[in-house]
Amino acid sequence: MTSIVRKKNIILKKHEERRLLNGHQWIFSNEIHAANGAPKSGDIVEILRHDMKKLGVGFYNPHSLIAARFLTADDEEIDFQFFERRIRSALALREKLYPKSGTFRLVNSESDFLPGVIIDKYNEYLSIQTFSAGMDERLTLLCDVLVSVFSPRGIVERNESPLRSLEQLPQRKGILRGSVDPTIIELNSLKFRVDVLEGQKTGFYLDQRENRTLVRPYAKHATVLDCFCNEGGFGMYASHFGAKDVTCVDSSEFAIEKCKVNVMLNELQNISYHCADAFQFLSSAHQQEKRYDVIILDPPSFAKNKKTVATAVKGYKEVNAGALALLNSGGILITASCSHHISEETFLNAVQESGVKAKRKLRLLQTAGAAPDHPTLVAMPETKYLKLAVFSVE
Ligand code: SAH
């Protein structure tokens, strides 16, 4: 068998292959000794050790701190069949996880061995985000594969993430194939109307899929506050599981409007809405001496990069202390962080310190991560981001 000849390659500095051999998939720009064949952003390059032994192939981007992203150690073309194999393999896992559902995260970037692309499936629609120049350049090819595997009614790109600028990619959003209309997805017995073009991120937050049902044991007859509710997620499950009344808070008017639609769709009762800043809501609720049995906090990422970790920790302390001050004794705090740069330990310590500040005693009942269709690579901590903790509060 003849092996594939590639004219462009990068040679790593001595010993810089170690992380890659341990299962990490990124090569940083300062780990590269030389780039040969004038590879451009998005090109496929052979990745060679310092002694010229071949490690595999990957995407190259000279403009990014992540200068190369590993694709394969095998002697294979990076073509339609390659992407089809990887997408089918990602699909096989989701079919096991959610055999009766047409909605799931189909591809979770590096942790599905497709570096720099996220694909969510909402019934007959697919929503894509590309974060690497290599994947962005192959968006048409990816769509061709997706059409051949799924025959979707529509494919959209939601490439509005500011993270794309790290690879010098512009922000874009729009329909790539077919047409799109809102679609109703069903997750754990509740329905949500998803707008793949206008909803946040790829349309909806699928990562909290199972976590939303963690409210179940605490919901019956409870007074519940769902801060950062987006389109209704946790609050709707609280109502579904028998809460006496649920207050949903989000600063996005669009999210609150969608929340109302979802509540009606499921004929849920006793839910009220506030389009407000959660920090302000918590402090005015405190002034009004309001009390809740269960509070959910699921804020957006507070730490966009390593430099903002300290400010983010302050934010977590503030918001958790604000919630703790409103909880009845024996109440439940369900609190989450989706900041990549904040470890679970740092997050739990921040919540614990909020407890000290609010003069409340906290017992950790349970922790959880993202839904299993958002797998993580243990060798690659960057693929883990969502931390959720359930505390009993005295
Ligand atoms: N809990 C939701 C997901 C939350 S995503 C679910 O189960 O689907 C984070 C949400 O926080 C977004 O909807 C965003 O609009 C909202 N948000 C961001 N900043 C906010 C603020 N300062 N106050 C209230 N909501 C905010």
Side-chain angles (χ1 to χ4, degrees):
M1 218 176 97
T2 55
S3 62
I4 299 163
V5 178
R6 289 191 171 88
K7 294 201 177 112
K8 299 175 182 184
N9 66 44
I10 54 170
I11 304 168
L12 302 190
K13 288 181 186 163
K14 221 172 180 172
H15 304 312
E16 295 294 8
E17 71 281 6
R18 285 182 192 156
R19 219 184 39 250
L20 214 59
L21 295 174
N22 278 333
H24 203 284
Q25 297 186 13
W26 292 346
I27 294 160
F28 294 103
S29 52
N30 63 352
E31 296 165 353
I32 297 177
H33 165 70
N36 299 306
K40 297 185 310 301
S41 173
D43 279 354
I44 305 282
V45 288
E46 201 151 88
I47 303 166
L48 305 171
R49 272 170 32 157
H50 193 255
D51 60 7
M52 302 301 276
K53 275 203 187 123
K54 189 179 160 184
L55 291 161
V57 296
F59 288 139
Y60 183 63
N61 187 347
H63 310 303
S64 170
L65 196 62
I66 306 168
R69 296 175 188 245
F70 187 78
L71 280 163
T72 181
D74 295 338
D75 192 30
E76 56 186 333
E77 291 287 0
I78 310 303
D79 55 7
F80 183 99
Q81 282 76 20
F82 171 83
F83 288 109
E84 186 183 2
R85 282 193 297 278
R86 296 256 160 130
I87 286 173
R88 283 199 186 277
S89 145
L91 174 62
L93 172 65
R94 277 61 181 184
E95 284 175 341
K96 282 186 199 136
L97 292 170
Y98 303 115
K100 294 195 183 104
S101 177
T103 295
F104 39 75
R105 171 148 297 186
L106 170 67
V107 171
N108 196 42
S109 205
E110 273 75 3
S111 50
D112 279 300
F113 312 110
L114 287 164
V117 63
I118 282 173
I119 308 174
D120 284 342
K121 184 172 177 298
Y122 299 100
N123 297 327
E124 59 278 69
Y125 300 111
L126 293 156
S127 180
I128 308 188
Q129 295 180 313
T130 46
F131 294 99
S132 63
M135 282 299 178
D136 201 61
E137 201 168 281
R138 289 163 184 81
L139 203 48
T140 303
L141 180 59
L142 285 169
C143 285
D144 290 345
V145 173
L146 292 170
V147 165
S148 125
V149 176
F150 296 97
S151 309
R153 191 172 286 176
I155 305 179
V156 300
E157 70 169 320
R158 293 299 305 272
N159 275 328
E160 305 126 281
S161 169
L163 283 178
R164 278 171 57 90
S165 64
L166 300 175
E167 296 254 335
Q168 291 198 345
L169 299 170
Q171 295 185 16
R172 288 189 313 252
K173 108 169 167 181
I175 299 175
L176 299 175
R177 298 287 163 97
S179 60
V180 292
D181 281 309
T183 185
I184 293 172
I185 61 168
E186 193 171 329
L187 310 172
N188 302 308
S189 310
L190 290 186
K191 296 187 179 78
F192 298 89
R193 190 172 187 269
V194 173
D195 188 334
V196 289
L197 266 182
E198 301 303 332
Q200 293 185 11
K201 300 282 162 93
T202 67
F204 192 73
Y205 290 92
L206 291 174
D207 51 1
Q208 299 278 29
R209 186 174 187 145
E210 286 85 7
N211 293 346
R212 295 188 184 106
T213 64
L214 293 177
V215 72
R216 181 178 196 148
Y218 321 108
K220 200 138 187 98
H221 307 310
T223 304
V224 178
L225 173 62
D226 179 4
C227 278
F228 311 94
C229 65
N230 191 243
E231 298 181 9
F234 284 91
M236 285 172 56
Y237 282 93
S239 167
H240 176 64
F241 294 129
K244 188 164 75 188
D245 70 73
V246 179
T247 305
C248 285
V249 179
D250 200 285
S251 59
S252 153
E253 222 165 281
F254 177 84
I256 291 290
E257 287 312 309
K258 293 294 300 297
C259 187
K260 290 180 186 169
V261 170
N262 290 332
V263 166
M264 281 202 309
L265 199 62
N266 292 280
E267 297 175 16
L268 294 169
Q269 307 292 328
N270 308 334
I271 302 190
S272 61
Y273 315 90
H274 293 266
C275 184
D277 173 76
F279 290 85
Q280 280 172 14
F281 182 92
L282 290 170
S283 100
S284 68
H286 186 57
Q287 279 160 18
Q288 293 163 38
E289 297 185 1
K290 287 203 176 137
R291 290 292 176 269
Y292 299 91
D293 302 313
V294 179
I295 299 183
I296 298 118
L297 297 177
D298 183 17
S301 173
F302 288 162
K304 303 285 181 209
N305 54 51
K306 278 193 185 141
K307 283 185 209 141
T308 52
V309 165
T311 322
V313 168
K314 245 174 100 184
Y316 286 118
K317 284 187 194 166
E318 185 184 340
V319 77
N320 281 281
L324 287 169
L326 299 180
L327 272 175
N328 286 323
S329 182
I332 294 290
L333 175 68
I334 299 180
T335 181
S337 159
C338 62
S339 302
H340 279 273
H341 302 283
I342 306 272
S343 68
E344 182 169 277
E345 194 188 356
T346 304
F347 176 58
L348 292 179
N349 282 334
V351 182
Q352 164 62 22
E353 283 182 37
S354 310
V356 174
K357 192 174 161 201
K359 298 195 169 53
R360 306 301 298 263
K361 277 192 206 138
L362 268 61
R363 284 182 293 163
L364 180 61
L365 306 182
Q366 194 171 1
T367 55
D373 52 351
H374 297 58
T376 55
L377 292 175
V378 177
M380 210 173 158
E382 295 87 346
T383 58
K384 182 173 164 66
Y385 69 101
L386 186 64
K387 287 87 45 188
L388 178 138
V390 182
F391 287 98
S392 160
V393 180
E394 308 304 325

